[in-house]
Amino acid sequence: MASYFVAVATISLIYMLLAMGLNLQYGHTGLINFGHVAFFAAGAYASALLSLAGWPLPASFLAAMIVAALLAWPIGLLALRLADDYLAIVTLGFSETLRIVLQEEGWLTGGVQGLPGIPGLFAGLGPDARGLATLGALALCNAVAFLLLRHLVRSPYGRLIRAIRDDQTAVQALGKSAARPKTRMFMLGAMLAGLAGAFYAHFIAFLSPEQFVPLVTFYVWIAVIIGGAGSMAGAAAGSVLLLAFLEGSRFLRDALPGVSEIQMASVRLAVVGLALILCMLYRPQGLFGRRKG
Amino acid sequence: MLSLSGISKHYGGLRVVDDVALEVPERGLVGLVGTNGAGKSTLFAIACGQIEADAGSVSFGGVDVTRMPARRRARLGLGRTFQVPREFASLTVLENLLAAAPRRHGESLWSVYAQWPRTVREERRLRDEAQRWLRFLNLQGVADSPAGGLSGGQKKLLELGRVLMLSPKAILLDEPFAGVNPVLIAQIADRIRELNRERGMAFLVIEHHLEALGELADRLYVMDQGRVIAQGGPAAVLADPRVHEAYMGGVV
């Protein structure tokens, strides 16, 4: 049971990194990224493949972040000149394209058979200590990312990106570029997703393309919306709540007799959906968000 | 200061602006009036670089800016406001002005993380400047309120305040009195006059509100169906029968 909780906590913290990245993009800069999972996948595969090729893990983690950020760069240049809803379509299409590439390029990624035997973090420790150490490393990364991002969003630069979110035309009329900060924030958010991907790869030890379906993107969206878009604490709390719902609903089975294992998966999704609807009805700004107007 | 010559713009077969010349002299306060569809908003958008003309040229401070985007014109000192205010709604009034400050050191990732003390010093200096403008515009009482909650007239003042942070040489105002109560209209007109006289800022003001503009501007242009039909001192222009015909639809 203890290792189950460590595993759930690890996944929560991985989602927290993803949510912080998306919150920076959507909550602060107003970029509608429906392809967040692509950068998660890129980080996961980059770090997994490099570590399997013999790279030390700290180097492969760093590479995962850089690969994810560089992947975001051309999307940023191409799509950030488009209106918000087009960016949503472009990113969604991009993430599905990347998933199919991962599936088809078997010589590199193992294709549908997947990529097994990815080395775990802290291999020198025993199984229990290893889980805790991984959790600790993740917590540290989350804390560092949280503090760095909080400093950023409270700085003049953070004010500029919120101004761009509120009215890009006005920013340009004041003589400032909106495209460059948007590209930067898109890359920074992708970098966090890449880091989350690296942790995920070395925690799960096995990667396959169907782990990176659009549903993952929308789970992160749910976390950001429930927590409160634009709020640093909200993104963190939203991820914990999301995982509490996803995992807690497992235990609903005891309360719901006559529901089969397969039906249960749908029940869990329904619970998450219901929570989101109730959140939108009674607290549209999210748990930590500021009420608009 | 700002000079437009031979400006034309077509949309499909429709001539929205037809060979228009307009001059805003240094320290000038020029008004541009016309009915809906007269082409003045299009001309305004061409002047500030939001859209490009099909023909003609725009120069600002002796520089040919015809092909220059709005962003670069603003950096040269050409500020503008919007007909429907485009405030940064979730930022406070003070933050709106701070976000407008040009050439900010603190607006780069490098300076946020590596040169923080310098960023803080700059922030303090700009805060003082922004507070001065807020007092000038009588907005100091709402400095810390979200801009989205201001009244229409206050938003117009806020937009003016944002432009003032650019230390502009000329300001283009798009219907500064539209939807503003009479008390605030007098206040806005007063501030424009003061900026023009005391600080030598040139203005081009588009307005429906003929009366307010006639009192304010030292030169008026009247547009109808894409052409300038009258120009000159406000008294002469407002007495011009052609203006009455165009403006009142020939009723007078």
Side-chain angles (χ1 to χ4, degrees):
Chain A
M1 202 61 191
S3 64
Y4 170 72
F5 279 115
V6 171
V8 171
T10 304
I11 295 289
S12 309
L13 290 184
I14 288 173
Y15 267 96
M16 207 180 276
L17 282 175
L18 284 167
M20 270 196 271
L22 183 65
N23 188 39
L24 184 68
Q25 293 172 339
Y26 171 67
H28 290 280
T29 322
L31 301 167
I32 302 182
N33 176 5
F34 277 179
H36 206 41
V37 70
F39 308 102
F40 183 52
Y45 272 91
S47 186
L49 289 168
L50 289 171
S51 66
L52 286 170
W55 283 42
L57 289 186
S60 74
F61 269 64
L62 200 62
M65 292 165 72
I66 293 169
V67 165
L70 289 182
L71 202 60
W73 188 47
I75 313 274
L77 290 185
L78 270 175
L80 299 182
R81 287 155 212 283
L82 303 170
D84 298 341
D85 30 359
Y86 290 100
L87 180 61
I89 295 165
V90 167
T91 49
L92 181 58
F94 173 73
S95 78
E96 279 295 86
T97 308
L98 185 77
R99 186 172 67 82
I100 290 163
V101 168
L102 292 174
Q103 190 174 304
E104 298 302 319
E105 298 301 314
W107 60 273
L108 181 67
T109 64
V112 283
Q113 262 96 55
L115 203 59
I118 301 164
L121 282 164
F122 306 107
L125 301 174
D128 283 346
R130 189 193 286 181
L132 281 176
T134 302
L135 187 61
L138 249 173
L140 184 69
C141 281
N142 267 290
V144 169
F146 183 90
L147 292 175
L148 286 177
L149 289 187
R150 195 179 59 174
H151 180 64
L152 176 69
V153 302
R154 288 178 178 177
S155 74
Y157 196 81
R159 186 192 296 134
L160 176 66
I161 61 176
R162 279 192 299 280
I164 291 170
R165 175 193 65 189
D166 283 357
D167 201 318
Q168 183 175 334
T169 308
V171 169
Q172 285 163 334
L174 292 166
K176 299 190 180 196
S177 164
R180 191 187 290 186
K182 280 167 83 176
T183 313
R184 294 257 163 89
M185 291 304 105
F186 195 64
M187 289 173 71
L188 204 54
M191 197 188 233
L192 282 171
L195 178 63
F199 270 109
Y200 179 77
H202 297 280
F203 172 67
I204 301 282
F206 171 78
L207 291 180
S208 82
E210 76 262 24
Q211 290 162 340
F212 301 102
V213 291
L215 183 62
V216 176
T217 298
F218 294 110
Y219 277 152
V220 182
W221 271 93
I222 290 171
V224 168
I225 290 169
I226 289 183
S231 150
M232 289 292 302
S239 328
V240 174
L241 265 177
L242 173 75
L243 262 289
F245 271 120
L246 284 176
E247 292 300 321
S249 53
R250 278 183 204 281
F251 299 102
L252 270 179
R253 197 174 52 231
D254 302 334
L256 292 174
V259 175
S260 75
E261 199 68 39
I262 297 162
Q263 288 167 328
M264 203 53 218
S266 308
V267 171
R268 287 170 63 196
L269 266 185
V271 169
V272 173
L274 184 66
L276 187 63
I277 291 169
L278 291 176
C279 172
M280 290 297 97
L281 277 177
Y282 295 107
R283 207 170 160 80
Q285 76 276 35
L287 289 176
F288 289 83
R290 261 190 290 178
R291 190 172 278 281
K292 279 182 188 144
Chain B
M1 179 94 267
L2 176 69
S3 145
L4 290 83
S5 62
I7 299 288
S8 293
K9 181 76 188 175
H10 308 240
Y11 286 114
L14 188 67
R15 261 167 198 264
V16 184
V17 177
D18 188 6
D19 193 24
V20 167
L22 187 147
E23 176 83 32
V24 181
E26 206 138 328
R27 309 182 80 92
L29 212 169
V30 175
L32 176 61
V33 293
T35 49
N36 285 324
K40 58 189 192 318
S41 287
T42 305
L43 191 68
F44 186 89
I46 290 168
C48 58
Q50 198 178 3
I51 57 176
E52 241 182 66
D54 297 330
S57 66
V58 184
S59 84
F60 177 64
V63 182
D64 182 10
V65 297
T66 310
R67 307 250 165 262
M68 203 182 267
R71 188 157 59 80
R72 290 186 49 211
R73 292 189 200 189
R75 286 194 207 153
L76 289 179
L78 183 64
R80 72 161 297 185
T81 65
F82 292 89
Q83 185 181 346
V84 179
R86 286 179 170 271
E87 78 285 1
F88 303 131
S90 68
L91 269 55
T92 68
V93 169
L94 179 64
E95 284 175 328
N96 263 265
L97 266 67
L98 291 172
R103 285 179 290 281
R104 284 219 55 179
H105 167 73
E107 285 176 357
S108 81
L109 286 177
W110 172 252
S111 53
V112 165
Y113 290 116
Q115 295 186 304
W116 186 242
R118 193 174 150 195
T119 303
V120 170
R121 280 198 302 278
E122 178 195 54
E123 182 79 358
R124 209 173 295 145
R125 177 176 61 74
L126 288 171
R127 210 168 266 269
D128 290 343
E129 187 188 340
Q131 296 280 15
R132 274 201 302 280
W133 284 125
L134 288 181
R135 279 194 296 277
F136 173 76
L137 297 168
N138 200 20
L139 287 173
Q140 71 276 26
V142 290
D144 295 319
S145 314
L150 297 183
S151 75
Q154 285 176 318
K155 285 180 183 175
K156 300 267 181 188
L157 283 166
L158 169 63
E159 280 209 330
L160 184 56
R162 258 188 348 201
V163 167
L164 289 171
M165 292 296 287
L166 305 178
S167 318
K169 298 190 188 83
I171 302 179
L172 310 180
L173 299 174
D174 197 348
E175 301 202 7
F177 307 131
V180 178
N181 75 57
V183 180
L184 220 44
I185 286 184
Q187 194 190 330
I188 294 174
D190 207 44
R191 301 289 91 163
I192 294 172
R193 214 173 274 123
E194 188 173 337
L195 288 168
N196 177 248
R197 287 195 192 139
E198 317 261 314
R199 295 175 186 264
M201 293 179 190
F203 281 88
L204 172 64
V205 186
I206 291 194
E207 191 43 71
H208 271 305
H209 204 288
L210 262 183
E211 207 180 321
L213 195 57
E215 285 172 24
L216 184 64
D218 45 43
R219 190 175 176 82
L220 280 183
Y221 286 76
V222 184
M223 278 184 81
D224 186 44
Q225 293 174 17
R227 291 178 157 276
V228 172
I229 56 164
Q231 55 176 298
V237 167
L238 292 178
D240 191 320
R242 283 172 304 177
V243 174
H244 277 262
E245 191 171 328
Y247 221 80
M248 313 298 182
V251 177
V252 180

